[in-house]
Amino acid sequence: MPSPNFGPRPPQAHIDLVVLHSISLPPGVYGGKQVQELFTNRLDWESHPYFKSIQGLQVSAHFYIQRGGEIWQFVSCDDRAWHAGASHYRGRDNCNDDSIGIELEGLEGDTFASAQYQALHALIPALAQRYPIAHVAGHEHIAPGRKADPGPGLDWAYLQQTLGLAAPCFPDGVQKNIST
């Protein structure tokens, strides 16, 4: 489902980071089409009182994974999606420039569905076949103090174990915070 909210990556972009996010619209409501409508600039701002607080927002992600594991793509991975905002990670600013954004349907801090982990386990290795993915982080890690998603409900240790990636691919300390 193509989003108009993207731009070109800078010529020097080295796409080696996956950024995980969480989103639900309205917050805590799952299964609707509001996230897809937000990413394609078709959300009816009048359809829910919460939407007034985000009215006019133009954002996107490369992918969105619903609770049942359905994967939606909005932006080509060769392009720069608008998911990270002001950010810094691995000594680099502007993480949109060199990352692939994956939104998980969920509420910041809540747990995620097993089907979403299964989708991540298929998607991230597929991305790594084309791009030199060396890091997986949360929005909370690239924009600390500004963002807190996906939050403590994401089982980073399980994700690392099932993806078979080394600990340095993940933010420092995430495995200490989450039990396996």
Side-chain angles (χ1 to χ4, degrees):
M1 179 176 284
S3 172
N5 304 328
F6 72 95
R9 293 188 187 269
Q12 76 281 7
H14 183 67
I15 305 167
D16 64 350
L17 170 65
V18 169
V19 178
L20 301 179
H21 305 262
S22 63
I23 188 170
S24 59
L25 291 175
V29 175
Y30 303 142
K33 297 290 183 203
Q34 291 85 353
V35 172
Q36 293 91 325
E37 291 169 353
L38 175 67
F39 290 168
T40 57
N41 298 340
R42 295 182 295 133
L43 184 63
D44 177 0
W45 306 115
E46 304 294 328
S47 66
H48 190 276
Y50 174 78
F51 298 157
K52 287 302 225 180
S53 70
I54 61 170
Q55 187 167 354
L57 189 65
Q58 292 186 327
V59 295
S60 63
H62 293 94
F63 299 95
Y64 170 54
I65 302 175
Q66 291 183 285
R67 306 288 293 175
E70 302 87 2
I71 300 173
W72 293 78
Q73 184 170 6
F74 295 92
V75 175
S76 165
C77 294
D78 292 332
D79 291 317
R80 184 182 188 271
W82 302 346
H83 62 94
S87 51
H88 180 87
Y89 195 71
R90 311 156 344 274
R92 299 183 212 159
D93 292 326
N94 303 317
C95 293
N96 280 336
D97 290 349
D98 57 12
S99 67
I100 294 172
I102 301 174
E103 293 274 2
L104 298 168
E105 184 177 35
L107 193 59
E108 183 177 287
D110 267 356
T111 58
F112 295 90
S114 62
Q116 290 175 296
Y117 285 103
Q118 291 171 5
L120 285 172
H121 300 153
L123 181 56
I124 293 173
L127 294 170
Q129 288 181 359
R130 176 164 175 152
Y131 303 97
I133 302 299
H135 305 278
V136 179
H139 203 185
E140 64 197 290
H141 304 110
I142 67 166
R146 188 175 69 79
K147 293 294 182 178
D149 64 300
L154 187 74
D155 191 337
W156 289 98
Y158 176 70
L159 191 62
Q160 180 203 349
Q161 175 189 1
T162 56
L163 288 174
L165 298 173
C169 294
F170 295 88
D172 290 337
V174 292
Q175 295 161 339
K176 296 175 188 152
N177 298 329
I178 305 294
S179 62
T180 55

